[in-house]
Amino acid sequence: MWIGWCEFDFLLGDVRSLKQKRSVVKPIVAELRRRFGISVAEVDHLELHRRAAIGVSVVGPDQRHLVDVLDEVERFAASRPEVELVAARRRIIAGDDIA
């Protein structure tokens, strides 16, 4: 078993309230969940209006599958016109590495 996750750090456009931020972030989270069938959540910068961090995770039988899925997810995240992807941090580990 392999476990992979990625955290995306976004800079939001002209957002002036947390309500506006939700209206930008929530559709991205929902589309990631729907399109890729992965676990997704807003994980950081919760009180900042113009920043958002979204974390995704996936579990699979082999490393190659996880790399392919996370590559597609990262391309999707980078292609969103309403946000700017500032950074993406990724980690993949084997299940037997967890103690």
Side-chain angles (χ1 to χ4, degrees):
M1 173 177 78
W2 290 83
I3 305 160
W5 65 91
C6 194
E7 183 180 348
F8 302 109
D9 191 3
F10 292 106
L11 181 61
L12 308 181
D14 188 27
V15 172
R16 297 179 187 192
S17 70
L18 292 175
K19 186 175 181 179
Q20 282 182 315
K21 177 184 179 177
R22 268 195 318 277
S23 72
V24 172
V25 173
K26 197 172 180 180
I28 294 172
V29 169
E31 183 63 17
L32 283 166
R33 201 173 278 135
R34 185 195 68 76
R35 184 179 289 200
F36 299 102
I38 56 179
S39 297
V40 186
E42 186 177 358
V43 294
D44 201 1
H45 309 307
L46 301 175
E47 298 300 320
L48 299 177
H49 298 137
R50 297 198 60 227
R51 295 289 296 272
I54 295 175
V56 303
S57 64
V58 61
V59 175
D62 60 75
Q63 184 180 13
R64 183 76 242 155
H65 173 70
L66 266 61
V67 170
D68 292 344
V69 170
L70 292 176
D71 284 348
E72 286 183 54
V73 169
E74 188 170 344
R75 277 192 295 276
F76 172 81
S79 73
R80 301 298 296 202
E82 69 274 26
V83 295
E84 177 186 342
L85 181 61
V86 177
R89 290 172 291 285
R90 181 187 295 197
R91 180 105 189 263
I92 298 174
I93 60 172
D96 15 351
D97 289 347
I98 301 171

